[in-house]
Amino acid sequence: MLTNLRKAIIPVAGLGTRLLPISKSIPKEMVPVVDRPLIQHVVEEALAAGLNEIILVTRGGKSAVEDHFDTHYEIEAELEKKGKTALLEALRTITPPQLKVTSVRQDRALGLGHAIHCAAHLLQADEPFAVILPDVLVKPVPGDAAPVDLAVMAEAYQRDAAAQIMVEAVPLERVDQYGIVDCGGVEPAAGTAAAMRGVVEKPKPADAPSRLSVIGRYILPGEIMGLLANTPPGAGGEIQLTDAIAELIRLGRPVEAFRMQGRTFDCGYVQGWLQANQQLAREAGLLE
Ligand code: G1P
């Protein structure tokens, strides 16, 4: 069993154009979803999967994301003085002692693959890592006893040393918005994985190898950093993580598509973000 899976790379350098004007001066990762910023939900998901070392790939103008995981001495001192213990505790749970947050800058917007490669020097040789795209929230179905999807993927990687890519089905007309996986016609059941034969970034519906889309949760071997260094620009003229994963498969490394059991909320655009707030606030008993 492998045990060195500890790091999650979270790219937060995007401009957030789909959330404008909300995201003009607030990083899109800081928009609230119910009672906490989007980024906090995502870091909580990483922690639940045993990934305690977070690497934020960021850029200028987004320091609020890093500040959220910093100690706020003034607020804490004030709350302590006033005896507001519950609030103080809630604040401290944002940064449990095991959480380590590091950040690195992406100097040019050359795509997701480039953003991930910006963290390469922060990993040991061949150290595996997770990638979490923070636009999409992945939440368990309420009342369902199934474990956190990312935790299942992390366990599978540590057991089998096969890269894990979280997927869910999308309607055919939307395949051109996602990475689409090729499992040779096999449709894994929720909570299970199937071996991948390929993956394509944003294919036309006619060329899509399946309707299983990449959601934005990955567990990858350290080897992929070397592949990213040599990945040419692909779809949209950007260096695509998808293309490096396709290369990993071509090299014969085991890569599996894990079909999620939970639900996704795409908070990267206004309607999806509103829906997440409405649904999750209802489930938390905060809305009728
Ligand atoms: C990125 C990935 C894509 C994935 C998607 C999930 O695309 O490149 O493979 O399916 O995230 O949200 P983007 O949404 O950045 O265009």
Side-chain angles (χ1 to χ4, degrees), residues 28-52:
K28 63 175 173 165
E29 296 78 11
M30 292 305 294
V31 299
V33 176
V34 187
D35 60 351
R36 61 201 70 186
L38 187 49
I39 190 71
Q40 191 182 328
H41 287 272
V42 169
V43 168
E44 285 168 359
E45 182 189 347
L47 287 170
L51 301 159
N52 300 334

Side-chain angles (χ1 to χ4, degrees), residues 34-35 280-288:
V34 187
D35 60 351
L280 296 172
R282 258 198 211 120
E283 288 169 13
L286 297 168
L287 274 185
E288 293 278 294

Side-chain angles (χ1 to χ4, degrees), residues 112 133 136 177-179 201-202 214-216 218 240 242:
L112 175 60
L133 306 188
V136 177
Q177 295 172 28
Y178 301 95
E201 183 68 14
K202 305 192 171 75
V214 175
I215 288 167
Y218 315 74
Q240 297 290 351
T242 299

